Amino acid sequence: MAGKGEWARHWRYEQLPGLDLLRARYLRHTFPRHSHDGYVFGAVTGGVEAVGMPDGTLLAGPGSVVMINPEVAHTAQAGAPEGWSYSTLYPSAQVVAEIAAETTTVRGTAGFGEQIVTDPQAARMISEVHRAAEQGNALAADSLLRIVVARLLRDHGTALEQRPRRTAGAKAAARARELLEGRMADPPALETLAGELGTSPFALLRAFRDAYGMPPHTWLTNVRVRAARRLLEGGTAPAEAAVSVGFTDQPHLNRHFTRIVGVPPGAYQRERKNVQDPDAGLLVPSGTWQNRQHPQTYETNAPRTVPPKPSAGAPEEPARPTPSSSATPSGSASPSDSPDSPSE
């Protein structure tokens, strides 16, 4: 169940193709290690978020923007007792590439060398993209999206390294990934997989984690959830989607989907069905199961984290100063180390 006062909305605005939006408040929710096929731009609006990156754990407070490149494994959880609230944009790699090509001189794939920056203006603009989309203002939402991404690219963007890995371990990890993708619903045991690749189980574990930031079983759960998202977007029922991608049943899908995406599969699918209905965007308690009957109002007793909708063009109240970002060594008991237990 969701912690008291938690809520989340993960949705898509039909006038902004290639973009997902998440606005949420979390107290006890923990995102396990996972990655995205696009970019992440998260503006913390309250509390503190602890983001577990490959090099350590970073803390983001109000006025901070979290920037994560595609396929970078990370975790997230509350960094303070009051939890955290945020507005997040998930633009596709194509959207960011188009903006980068038009507004920067970056050659190759654009990315970000810093994971968290203090930029209250950019943080406000991310929240304003959400507000404009929720109000159905396509012109403002599209304009603000392009402006804030261009700003972040200008101030913090760089070209991502594209060095091919030619070691035997890297080749084994890439081949293991191909095999797991092809046998998603019925994957082999680690020993069997390693044997097929002519390596040992521990050598494969090390190589896979070096290449993809997580062990094979965690990576497979992440890929299954991505596949389930595509099926749900196409109208497949959650129970059918669960079995199709290799989960035991619908509750198994619900558990992992909610942990990784932040909302249950049913709520996720309803938002995609109702993209043309502005009144369908209800805030759903983040741990609510998809087959439960939801009341017509999902506001909780934490209204301070839900900014009121101002009239069009009204300026947003300035964000509070952010605590300075801090990092802990990746060997500490940080959220980047703990969620790698085998899938249930």
Side-chain angles (χ1 to χ4, degrees):
M1 288 293 296
K4 185 177 181 181
E6 288 192 336
W7 51 261
R9 184 188 184 195
H10 195 301
W11 68 298
R12 186 173 295 161
Y13 179 38
E14 65 171 353
Q15 299 297 325
L16 293 181
L19 177 72
D20 279 12
L21 304 99
L22 171 65
R23 188 163 64 90
R25 183 198 184 205
Y26 295 118
L27 296 170
R28 295 187 299 172
H29 185 82
T30 297
F31 288 89
R33 186 175 281 111
H34 65 289
S35 62
H36 304 272
D37 53 8
Y39 293 79
V40 179
F41 300 114
V44 177
T45 56
V48 179
E49 179 185 14
V51 185
M53 299 298 295
D55 296 330
T57 300
L58 304 173
L59 301 180
S64 300
V65 177
V66 178
M67 305 180 297
I68 302 177
N69 296 320
E71 305 300 350
V72 172
H74 60 283
T75 65
Q77 65 180 31
E82 66 269 25
W84 86 101
S85 54
Y86 65 157
S87 298
T88 302
L89 305 175
Y90 299 98
S92 68
Q94 180 180 351
V95 168
V96 173
E98 290 174 354
I99 296 172
E102 187 175 353
T103 62
T104 75
T105 58
V106 172
R107 295 184 177 181
T109 302
F112 301 90
E114 301 170 271
Q115 287 82 41
I116 295 178
V117 297
T118 301
D119 190 337
Q121 183 174 348
R124 284 195 298 271
M125 292 178 70
I126 289 171
S127 293
E128 288 166 3
V129 174
H130 278 258
R131 183 173 295 111
E134 289 166 357
Q135 294 174 345
N137 189 338
L139 179 61
D142 193 10
S143 299
L144 288 164
L145 171 66
R146 294 174 186 276
I147 292 169
V148 72
V149 172
R151 174 190 175 91
L152 293 171
L153 285 167
R154 180 197 69 201
D155 294 345
H156 312 289
T158 186
L160 295 179
E161 294 185 9
Q162 300 290 332
R163 294 180 300 178
R165 302 190 178 197
R166 303 183 184 280
T167 66
K171 291 179 181 179
R175 181 59 181 149
R177 173 174 174 160
E178 292 175 2
L179 291 173
L180 290 174
E181 285 179 332
R183 296 153 70 176
M184 186 186 305
D186 187 22
L190 177 64
E191 185 174 8
T192 303
L193 181 61
E196 292 181 15
L197 298 172
T199 186
S200 71
F202 280 105
L204 180 58
L205 276 174
R206 288 192 298 269
F208 200 97
R209 186 159 188 162
D210 286 346
Y212 304 113
M214 59 188 102
H217 69 271
T218 304
W219 178 89
L220 181 61
T221 298
N222 187 54
V223 170
R224 283 173 167 170
V225 168
R226 286 190 194 180
R229 289 176 65 172
R230 291 191 294 270
L231 290 173
L232 293 171
E233 290 164 8
T236 302
E240 182 180 346
V243 177
S244 296
V245 302
F247 288 111
T248 305
D249 50 24
Q250 187 172 336
H252 193 201
L253 168 66
N254 288 357
R255 181 164 60 252
H256 288 290
F257 193 101
T258 303
R259 290 177 69 207
I260 289 175
V261 180
V263 297
Y268 180 90
Q269 187 175 59
R270 281 193 296 274
E271 287 285 6
R272 271 74 190 160
K273 289 181 177 178
N274 296 325
V275 291
Q276 299 184 38
D277 181 2
D279 296 325
L282 302 176
L283 299 175
V284 180
S286 63
T288 305
W289 288 55
Q290 68 86 27
N291 57 352
R292 178 168 296 171
Q293 293 297 318
H294 304 306
Q296 288 301 305
T297 301
Y298 298 109
E299 299 286 348
T300 68
N301 61 351
R304 64 184 180 84
T305 65
V306 185
K309 294 183 179 179
S311 59
E316 183 176 338
E317 182 180 351
R320 298 191 301 270
T322 178
S324 58
S325 298
S326 61
T328 59
S330 57
S332 66
S334 72
S336 64
D337 296 318
S338 56
D340 272 342
S341 57
S343 301
E344 299 176 11

